[in-house]
Amino acid sequence: MAIGFRILPMGPRPEGDLVARLATLPVANLSDAMSRMTAGGASLRPMHGGGVLAGPAVTVKARPGDNLMLHKAIDLALPGDVVIVDAAGDLTNALIGELMVAHAEYRGLGGIVIHGAIRDAAAIRAGSFPLFACGVTHRGPYKDGPGEVNVPIAIDGMVVHPGDILVGDDDGLICVPLGDAEAIHAAASAKHAAETAQMEKIRRGENPRAWVDAALTALNCEGL
């Protein structure tokens, strides 16, 4: 066995329309439903022209600056899958550009997440293929490995297992653990419904604010 070179099976995948249902909810609501305990880090930003990223995770652990296993993961991924790469957040070399994005889009992937850098930013920004990354550099990648596919990875403390559901919007990226996804969807849906109702009250001028002074009074705030 060559240490650091592994390609494992994907494992369980989401059933039915679970991914589609999660994709309709704001990432902020999903985060609240998960007790605000997980996030992909503020550095992961959407690099595409707009739209939600959502799909089962195909994970890649890569040596910073090397995209050999990213190429393989794109070829292995099924339509709708999201390839997510733990490249240690390094911005020295871009791991993907417009040619690889075009190949991923042709294969029907649901998106790509790079905990690292991209290039060809203008072309990617002009398109709609969902791509999240930490930054941009013109310097290209190496293709020597090592790397691993479908192993657990961690991005800024957010653990991602193969088959977990990734959702990303303008607020950032979150990983919804597959085993908890239905419960998280239910909680996030309830949160979203409550916020929608609250927004309607705000627009009608029916937004009680007494709770602010009550909270400050409980904290012995002076000057009320």
Side-chain angles (χ1 to χ4, degrees), residues 43-44 47 64-65 87-95 114-119 133-140:
S43 62
L44 273 178
M47 298 291 177
D90 182 78
L91 303 181
T92 307
N93 298 82
L95 295 193
I114 306 291
H115 192 219
I118 68 163
R119 65 178 181 178
C134 299
V136 177
T137 180
H138 55 77
R139 184 157 35 184

Side-chain angles (χ1 to χ4, degrees), residues 4 26 33 48 53 55 83 107 112 114 119 123 147 153 165 170 212-213 223:
H48 56 293
L53 174 150
V83 175
R107 299 205 67 251
I112 293 176
I114 306 291
R119 65 178 181 178
I153 60 173
I165 301 168
D170 283 344
V212 178
D213 284 350

Side-chain angles (χ1 to χ4, degrees), residues 8 15 20 39 56 84 90 92 102 107 164 179 191 199 203 218:
L8 301 181
E15 296 183 359
I84 180 169
D90 182 78
T92 307
R107 299 205 67 251
D164 285 346
K191 174 72 172 176
M199 182 63 77
R203 288 171 176 156

